[in-house]
Amino acid sequence: MQDVFTAPGRFYRGNLHTHSDRSDGVLTPEEVCRRYRAEGYDFLALTDHFIGIYDYPIVDTRPFRAPGFTTLLGAELHSGPMANGDLWHILAVGLPEEFAPGNAPHFRAVPGQETGPEIAARAAAAGAFVAVAHPHWSGLTLEDARSLTAAHAVEIYNHGCHTGADRGDGFVIADLLLSEGRRPSLIATDDAHFTEPDHFGGWVMVKAEANEPEALLAALKAGMFYSSQGPEIRGIDITKTTVEVQCSAAVTVIVQGQATAAVAVNGQSMTRASIRRDRFAASPWLRVTVIDAAGRRAWSNAYWV
């Protein structure tokens, strides 16, 4: 896979998980788009709950596109129980408007409905970028995650679940899948409803040649992005002996790998860090975390080495 930091194009900032008053958010789709545009986002996916009580919405946000700001159509899909009996939550960005509803009248599982893996596979076949939503908040098991074979990504940071439940992290599931040989990308999102401070806290920086839905969607599926709460990752170069990281001013740079493999470099206003690979000799993958002085993080996707 081509390296995101050397690929042609530029980085575009976007949020992939957002709700409006078409489901359980409080703002109109137009106002949600206005606020993200006003905050400097380049793109937004409005992903209202695709469920019967809300009339299975795939909200048409195309009228709210503007120069320098675009939208991706999508929804948060629900169908079938997870191991804990709760309904699946599956993020699907880039859905066609005609995507057929399943049998999900409400937020409880009903007999005969599609399973989570089945509706995820149907969304991926329709062209969507599919992600496991808020695994910690959902109580997702590793067996659940293994079953969702159509997912492109795992939500490793969900700002709304962080602020509202202190369950915003998804790295346990993501790292276990990576260590089993699965190759999910890692996304940070808001899951904004605007009912609490659940917005503008986590996003993806997507490398594409144009801020257009088709280009952004292709880049997402190819893993051409990193995720952030604020810091910038400007380059990652993996040599035979080191991992070389370039970033905005940071106090900590960490390289993580399989199992207990992790090494941190600490300092003040660091814009470069070099971490030896000795600790990662047995790890088939590496990823990078950058932390700034305010405690905000940026995360790379996994590199297979």
Side-chain angles (χ1 to χ4, degrees):
M1 184 181 76
Q2 188 172 21
D3 179 61
V4 63
F5 300 103
T6 59
R10 54 154 288 194
F11 282 106
Y12 296 100
R13 178 190 183 197
N15 181 40
L16 299 174
H17 192 165
T18 330
H19 298 278
S20 75
D21 64 2
R22 289 291 305 276
S23 62
D24 60 347
V26 298
L27 302 178
T28 65
E30 182 176 12
E31 178 62 10
V32 172
C33 290
R34 187 199 69 79
R35 292 196 186 188
Y36 274 92
R37 183 184 173 199
E39 291 291 332
Y41 284 70
D42 300 299
F43 69 93
L44 175 70
L46 193 63
T47 52
D48 277 307
H49 295 286
F50 196 65
I51 206 162
I53 56 174
Y54 301 124
D55 198 25
Y56 298 103
I58 298 177
V59 181
D60 184 6
T61 54
R62 289 173 295 188
F64 313 128
R65 295 172 182 170
F69 180 80
T70 196
T71 63
L72 301 172
L73 275 59
E76 187 171 357
L77 308 178
H78 308 279
S79 195
M82 300 179 297
N84 62 10
D86 288 349
L87 213 60
W88 276 93
H89 290 238
I90 298 165
L91 200 61
V93 174
L95 281 174
E97 284 184 284
E98 65 274 12
F99 185 73
N103 177 27
H106 41 62
F107 283 105
R108 298 182 300 280
V110 298
Q113 67 186 164
E114 287 175 289
T115 66
E118 286 171 343
I119 199 169
R122 190 158 63 84
F129 172 77
V130 175
V132 181
H134 40 60
H136 189 182
W137 182 89
S138 293
L140 197 79
T141 68
L142 181 57
E143 280 300 318
D144 287 326
R146 286 171 175 154
S147 74
L148 207 68
T149 56
H152 298 92
V154 173
E155 212 174 48
I156 48 85
Y157 179 73
N158 179 299
H159 191 56
C161 292
H162 171 72
T163 60
D166 198 24
R167 290 180 172 175
D169 188 282
F171 272 117
V172 171
I173 289 294
D175 284 354
L176 289 172
L177 289 176
L178 289 167
S179 295
E180 291 184 349
R182 292 275 292 273
R183 300 196 175 197
S185 54
L186 313 175
I187 61 171
T189 70
D190 273 344
D191 197 357
H193 294 71
F194 289 92
T195 54
E196 56 187 347
D198 58 3
H199 38 280
F200 316 139
W203 54 85
V204 288
M205 296 296 294
V206 178
K207 188 73 165 295
E209 296 200 59
N211 188 26
E212 298 174 354
E214 295 79 10
L216 295 169
L217 194 60
L220 284 165
K221 292 178 182 178
M224 300 297 286
F225 63 89
Y226 69 91
S227 293
S228 185
Q229 299 171 314
E232 297 178 5
I233 303 177
R234 295 171 179 165
I236 297 174
D237 183 22
I238 300 176
T239 74
K240 289 183 179 180
T241 58
T242 63
V243 180
E244 307 290 335
V245 180
Q246 300 177 52
C247 56
S248 56
V251 296
T252 304
V253 176
I254 308 171
V255 176
Q256 296 100 335
Q258 185 168 291
T260 60
V263 176
V265 172
N266 301 294
Q268 295 297 319
S269 303
M270 296 186 299
T271 58
R272 293 178 178 271
S274 180
I275 295 175
R276 290 192 59 81
R277 286 184 56 184
D278 308 62
R279 185 74 178 81
F280 307 95
S283 182
W285 57 270
L286 305 171
R287 61 177 179 84
V288 173
T289 301
V290 173
I291 308 174
D292 70 12
R296 300 176 303 176
R297 286 158 165 77
W299 304 276
S300 77
N301 284 319
Y303 286 77
W304 292 84
V305 295

